[in-house]
Amino acid sequence: MDLTYTEEERDFRARLREWLGKTLPELPARPSPDDWPGRRAYDLGWQRRLHDAGYAGLHWPVDAGGRGATPTQHLIFLEETERAGAPYVGANFVGLLHAGPTIAAEGTAEQRARWLPPVLRGDEVWCQGFSEPGAGSDLASLRTRAVRDGDAYVVTGSKIWTSHAEVADWCELLVRTDPQAPRHRGISWLALPMDAPGITVRPLRTLAGSAEFAEVFLDEVRVPVANRVGEENDGWRVTMVTLSFERGTAFVGEVVACRRTLTRLARTARANGRWDDPVLRRTLGRLHGEFGALWRLTQWNVSEAQRSGGVPGTGGSVFKLAYSHARQELYDVAAEVLGADSLSLEEEWTLDRLSSLSYTIAAGTSQIQRNIVAERILGLPKGR
């Protein structure tokens, strides 16, 4: 991994910084956290600005509509946009970070042409229909059925924790197409149009008071066979591609955000007198080192994904495991530094702290990540 910058990369950073400086003041006010139609419009508007400026899908392959940027350029983009306080992917995150890269890696030419340009242009939002009430971390036990009927699948079942389902146009959906096959087989990956008859969406309110998740109920929903990505009953393998993106590169922008938050915390501690506590200083220093190491691991994962054809490897589980716990500790320290101010739901700190509690569950629990690290990286035997 080469951590030095070329002249071309320095020019890229300068041009991006200049564009951000001109563009960010022109953005409209951010909508209320509870205004999901408004947030959808805001996030899609930002994506369209990125697209028109040539920054959409920066690291995606050229034949998938991206710019084919180097890993270093991708990381420069994440650094500069986060440091400038630019919007992140928001409601676009499933399309841009999960479904889109999966279709780019596994989809047919027709599927790539149909679904990838609208994601990059900011025309369509995707949600993720993987987890079920009885199949969260144990994803292979999913029970949503898809029965072949001519040129369509008839889908019946339910999903839970479906991110942004209430404002999504499409859903990356896992279904069981062969109930007689072993658990990890007989699963297929479908692109579900969210306006199809038979779909009911019920928003779920989180601990932080937001409703970015939903239950989705599917009652004999017809999905064209042409919407299947990968072969029938090969969905588990395709899903592992999706999860490798989710765990390996989808969180990289948040590492930069956490490093910025840590700097703000240190500044606040100096201002309110907490800096005199040597234990707090040591904790902040250790977290500074951990997030610095996580950024280096991010650089390695992105570089490794580039070398392997764009799909991250199992190193993403190492990152996900370490990052989830470091983020939780960061916001525990924030509560210590801020005192009573950290208890108000009106404070951004509080909402971020509540959100951090989910990170050891989302995208595969920490227990799942430890199993992956143990079995696939360290070569330990599988537990019985």
Side-chain angles (χ1 to χ4, degrees):
M1 180 175 63
D2 186 357
L3 302 181
T4 61
Y5 295 113
T6 66
E7 186 66 30
E8 179 183 4
E9 289 162 348
R10 286 192 290 269
D11 289 343
F12 174 79
R13 186 188 294 273
R15 291 194 303 272
L16 173 60
R17 189 173 292 179
E18 180 182 9
W19 180 79
L20 289 168
K22 293 178 179 178
T23 303
L24 293 181
E26 300 173 352
L27 294 181
R30 292 177 184 263
S32 164
D34 292 330
D35 179 10
W36 277 104
R39 291 179 65 174
R40 171 193 160 105
Y42 182 88
D43 294 337
L44 289 178
W46 172 245
Q47 184 61 28
R48 175 54 67 94
R49 289 174 184 263
L50 291 174
H51 177 271
D52 292 346
Y55 292 116
L58 189 69
H59 61 294
W60 285 23
V62 174
D63 62 2
R67 287 183 54 179
T70 66
T72 302
Q73 287 175 323
H74 178 203
L75 294 168
I76 289 172
F77 173 82
L78 293 170
E79 286 180 321
E80 292 299 323
T81 52
E82 181 56 46
R83 286 171 178 168
Y88 195 44
V89 290
N92 297 315
F93 89 91
V94 174
L96 287 168
L97 305 180
H98 304 171
T102 301
I103 293 168
E106 297 290 334
T108 64
E110 292 78 11
Q111 291 170 338
R112 288 152 66 104
R114 166 58 188 90
W115 287 311
L116 298 185
V119 169
L120 293 177
R121 286 195 305 264
D123 291 340
E124 294 179 344
V125 170
W126 284 68
C127 62
Q128 185 181 81
F130 283 12
S131 294
E132 297 180 5
S137 296
D138 186 15
L139 190 58
S141 64
L142 68 88
R143 294 181 293 178
T144 295
R145 291 282 303 276
V147 179
R148 183 77 174 260
D149 181 22
D151 60 357
Y153 290 106
V154 180
V155 180
T156 301
S158 67
K159 297 292 178 177
I160 198 168
W161 312 123
T162 307
S163 306
H164 305 315
E166 67 272 28
V167 294
D169 303 289
W170 293 90
C171 176
E172 51 174 359
L173 183 72
L174 289 187
V175 295
R176 188 163 295 284
T177 41
D178 184 355
Q180 306 304 319
R183 292 193 327 148
H184 291 81
R185 300 175 185 174
I187 293 173
S188 297
W189 196 108
L190 303 180
L192 168 72
M194 290 299 290
D195 60 355
I199 298 177
T200 301
V201 176
R202 296 180 186 170
L204 295 169
R205 192 161 295 278
T206 69
L207 182 67
S210 61
E212 67 264 31
F213 299 119
E215 293 178 287
V216 176
F217 299 90
L218 305 144
D219 184 11
E220 296 189 350
V221 179
R222 296 186 69 86
V223 181
V225 173
N227 287 20
R228 187 190 67 232
V229 175
E231 296 298 321
E232 185 171 285
N233 301 326
D234 191 33
W236 184 259
R237 185 191 61 80
V238 178
T239 302
M240 291 304 102
V241 173
T242 304
L243 293 179
S244 70
F245 285 112
E246 186 174 10
R247 297 164 183 166
T249 55
F251 288 114
V252 292
E254 297 189 31
V255 176
V256 182
C258 285
R259 296 176 78 184
R260 187 176 64 176
T261 296
L262 191 60
T263 300
R264 290 171 58 199
L265 270 182
R267 190 181 303 123
T268 301
R270 289 187 177 96
N272 67 11
R274 298 305 308 278
W275 192 253
D276 294 334
D277 183 346
V279 175
L280 176 65
R281 291 201 306 272
R282 283 196 296 271
T283 301
L284 291 173
R286 179 173 52 77
L287 283 172
H288 177 76
E290 286 192 27
F291 281 108
L294 281 167
W295 183 243
R296 291 307 187 203
L297 181 57
T298 293
Q299 292 175 308
W300 186 88
N301 282 337
V302 171
S303 300
E304 183 68 13
Q306 184 78 9
R307 285 193 292 269
S308 64
V311 179
T314 52
S317 288
V318 178
F319 170 85
K320 169 62 170 56
L321 180 61
Y323 171 72
S324 298
H325 291 272
R327 182 184 175 94
Q328 288 183 352
E329 186 175 6
L330 171 66
Y331 283 101
D332 285 345
V333 173
E336 183 179 346
V337 171
L338 297 170
D341 289 341
S342 69
L343 300 177
S344 171
L345 285 176
E346 301 300 320
E347 293 290 335
E348 180 183 356
W349 296 98
T350 307
L351 297 177
D352 285 341
R353 187 188 186 200
L354 293 175
S355 174
S356 75
L357 299 176
S358 70
Y359 276 66
T360 49
I361 300 173
T365 65
S366 291
Q367 291 84 353
I368 294 291
Q369 307 308 326
R370 291 188 182 98
N371 282 343
I372 292 173
V373 171
E375 295 170 8
R376 303 184 193 175
I377 297 178
L378 301 179
L380 298 178
K382 292 186 177 183
R384 295 185 179 273

